[in-house]
Amino acid sequence: MALVYEYDVFISYRRSGGDAPDWVRNHFHPRLQRLLDDNVDYDVKIFLEDGVPVGGKWPQVVRDALQRARILIPVCSPKYFHDEWCLAEWHTMAKREEIVAGGGSAKPGRLIYPVIFSDSENFPGYAHERRMHSFRDWNKPHPQYQNTPEYLDFDRELALMVEDLVEVIEQAPPWSPEWPVETPPPPDPPRPSKLPRF
């Protein structure tokens, strides 16, 4: 296995319930992809869990992508911080930041670039310690949002974010096969309510 990253960005978001998943799929991810591609001289690769093929081993694919991503963009809402997978993804990159800082790097850099989808008042303390880029004013999930004047403001805000994001991606440390990855423990298998009949 080559000692290189596979993804420039891993988008972490709560995959069920609420409007965040639709917003990520309909607006945030496609525009982020295009804007990043327009601002660098290489093909940007973004991991979004929707790309896991049917029949793929979803936890392993996510784990591998997380280990081989330069940075994490968590799409934060109050429920994000109650989702086991989201927390594992956040803490994986936080641990990597600690490892890089402990390695004596003069400028350890940021590996977590959080964006606010909604609220933020109810985020945990460790999340409040980080400066976040807010998209609360542009968090409409519906596809037709792209046809509104407000969408142009969203696009401008995302373009501003991408200017900063390009630098964050470029300062990521060299990839290491030793990067730790946290994942939630698998759930216990369901217990049969009745004994099987023979």
Side-chain angles (χ1 to χ4, degrees):
M1 184 183 285
L3 299 179
V4 295
Y5 288 104
E6 185 175 352
Y7 299 98
D8 301 292
V9 173
F10 183 112
I11 299 179
S12 173
Y13 63 102
R14 189 166 182 264
R15 296 159 183 90
S16 62
D19 289 334
D22 289 339
W23 180 76
V24 168
R25 294 179 194 118
N26 292 334
H27 307 302
F28 184 71
H29 171 245
R31 284 306 293 153
L32 179 65
Q33 179 77 55
R34 289 187 179 189
L35 288 166
L36 278 173
D37 273 331
D38 285 344
N39 282 277
V40 296
D41 60 357
Y42 56 90
D43 292 331
V44 172
K45 288 192 73 178
I46 297 176
F47 180 82
L48 193 68
E49 67 94 20
D50 287 0
V52 177
V54 173
K57 294 184 177 178
W58 185 83
Q60 189 59 48
V61 171
V62 171
R63 179 184 168 83
D64 292 346
L66 188 56
Q67 187 185 42
R68 296 179 63 83
R70 292 179 187 276
I71 68 163
L72 181 81
I73 298 181
V75 177
C76 302
S77 64
K79 289 187 174 72
Y80 176 94
F81 296 99
H82 294 280
D83 185 282
E84 286 184 322
W85 274 98
C86 293
L87 292 176
E89 291 159 5
W90 177 295
H91 291 302
T92 290
M93 279 298 178
K95 182 66 175 172
R96 189 185 301 180
E97 285 179 339
E98 290 174 15
I99 291 168
V100 172
S105 174
K107 187 179 178 187
R110 301 171 282 163
L111 302 179
I112 300 174
Y113 195 102
V115 301
I116 300 172
F117 176 77
S118 62
D119 186 48
S120 82
E121 295 298 318
N122 294 304
F123 293 178
Y126 63 85
H128 282 292
E129 291 173 1
R130 294 181 185 263
R131 186 165 172 244
M132 298 187 174
H133 200 118
S134 179
F135 283 91
R136 281 179 295 202
D137 293 338
W138 305 284
N139 65 2
K140 312 303 183 290
H142 312 292
Q144 58 269 31
Y145 179 55
Q146 296 176 12
N147 301 321
T148 67
E150 188 180 300
Y151 185 82
L152 296 175
D153 294 331
F154 161 75
D155 200 56
R156 279 190 284 271
E157 190 66 25
L158 192 55
L160 288 173
M161 176 184 135
V162 163
E163 289 178 17
D164 186 34
L165 196 59
V166 168
E167 292 181 27
V168 174
I169 292 169
E170 289 175 354
Q171 56 81 46
W175 185 76
S176 168
E178 304 302 317
W179 292 141
V181 177
E182 291 191 22
T183 52
D188 293 330
R191 291 185 159 175
S193 56
K194 297 179 182 178
L195 292 174
R197 299 173 98 182
F198 295 100

